[in-house]
Amino acid sequence: MRITVSVNGQSYTRDVEPRLLLVHFLRDELDLTGTHWGCDTSNCGVCTVRLDGVPVKSCTVLAVMADGHEVTTVEGLERDGELDAVQKGFVECHGLQCGFCTPGMLLTARALLDRHPDPDESQIREAISGQLCRCTGYENIVRSIRWAATSDVAESATEAK
Amino acid sequence: MQVPATFEYERADSVPHALELLEHYGPEARVVAGGHSLIPMMKLRLAQPEALIDINGLADELGGIAVEGDELAIGAMVRHTELLESATATDLFPIFRDAERVIADPIVRNRGTVGGSLCQGDPSEDLSAVFAALRATAVIQGPGGTRTVPVREFHQGPYETAVEPNELLIQLRVPVAPGTGSAYEKVERRVGDWPVAAAGAVLRIEGGTIVQAGIGLTAVGAAHFCAPEAEAYLDGRVPDAEAFAQAGRIAAEHCEPHADQRGPADYKRHLAAELTRRALARAAGRI
């Protein structure tokens, strides 16, 4: 089946089997291996991407379901060579250890901050509760997202001036 | 790597189109909405539909949460996140907020739908108990038009529902009455898991006595996800701690929990009683 999916603003057309999962479409067809593939059972959340802006677990979405829709992966966070605030936050606050859960965490963090620019710790913990960090480094992940929220607020204040 | 068996894939662009496709492909076709129950089952080859009919394009047509007359109407394609965040639904019935907060996780809730949860017919599903407690009605559309089925007759066994192969669940309707309180209590082994046991309670109180009680139970082998004997016991009684504890005991007596990896049967029976008691007390406190 021929599908056209917009990924990080670029349109891709491919012939795929209907049973192909979105995670494998991204990794194997488009070579976008930033999206990781973990438990395969929609539990661990490392395969999280944004589908029309909404975080979804791409191991449980068929690629054909994304036909005509917009997907954002971790590769799409950086803009013009500038890392997104959530990426900077993970750098600043040591938000990644082995890095396996990081892409999914970053996308969920961005989606959270788009809706709630100033989340408290409990909102952050709730937002990432569908994702597992196998290093159990949650403290630093939460700190990194808070750093990004503060940075976003500072940036929009500068823009407003 | 888990890969589903091959299938034909069709996208429905309207409810009549979905019904045409169901007619065309016959009983081996399955409707896919959020897909968070069906796709994992297909990956494990526990389900091998010959065709998938994707109704995600009907999110508007089958969406929406609104009060219509003396009922709350919830579209089958409403996603869990939307129900959780709907002030209309959760102000009227806090049981929705209680339950949705503990259904899977926020990312799964972004995708999974209310209608899909009910149609999956999993004996441990949360919303099935919620809608049973609320005495909701399911609106089902088929080639001959729409029909309504009380949610308490919707589930006909594990993974079996009243929806025929050529029909589509399109909406849930919940009766709205003043003086109603509701709550949901669940015990899970870890955040986002299926329940070890859970109970929902809906109480309508007039003049200091209970005029109608609804009790929903899931994961404990309660027929049709409800506890009619305990509800009958509460009718006309003063809502107090003793009555709620006794209703819990009656509900537990009439369910048939099975031992599995989530716990032994007697523990689940204990939970059925205790969670029913707690849900009733919390529901009464919310009137």
Side-chain angles (χ1 to χ4, degrees), chain B residues 41-61:
Chain B
M41 284 183 82
M42 289 168 64
K43 287 162 85 169
L44 294 169
R45 309 284 171 116
L46 294 171
Q48 293 200 28
E50 287 173 10
L52 273 194
I53 296 161
D54 184 352
I55 59 166
N56 280 283
L58 313 186
D60 290 335
E61 194 176 347

Side-chain angles (χ1 to χ4, degrees), chain A residues 19 40 55 57 59 67 126, chain B residues 2 4 11 43 105 109:
Chain A
R19 62 177 172 166
D40 221 353
K57 296 185 178 182
C59 75
D67 181 28
E126 169 70 13
Chain B
Q2 297 178 8
R11 261 187 185 187
K43 287 162 85 169
D105 63 60
R109 292 198 291 266

Side-chain angles (χ1 to χ4, degrees), chain B residues 198-218:
Chain B
V202 181
L203 282 178
R204 191 149 64 83
I205 295 175
E206 277 175 20
T209 58
I210 298 167
V211 292
Q212 191 175 55
I215 297 172
L217 291 169
T218 193

Side-chain angles (χ1 to χ4, degrees), chain B residues 201-280:
Chain B
V202 181
L203 282 178
R204 191 149 64 83
I205 295 175
E206 277 175 20
T209 58
I210 298 167
V211 292
Q212 191 175 55
I215 297 172
L217 291 169
T218 193
V220 290
H224 303 289
F225 294 92
C226 55
E229 298 83 2
E231 292 166 349
Y233 166 80
L234 287 171
D235 273 349
R237 278 182 199 274
V238 174
D240 60 22
E242 200 181 317
F244 296 155
Q246 182 60 17
R249 283 192 285 272
I250 296 170
E253 273 169 30
H254 287 87
C255 62
E256 279 186 49
H258 294 287
D260 60 13
Q261 79 278 17
R262 290 194 171 82
D266 56 349
Y267 172 54
K268 293 183 183 184
R269 196 183 293 280
H270 165 78
L271 284 178
E274 180 58 19
L275 297 178
T276 298
R277 185 193 69 74
R278 290 183 196 176
L280 285 165

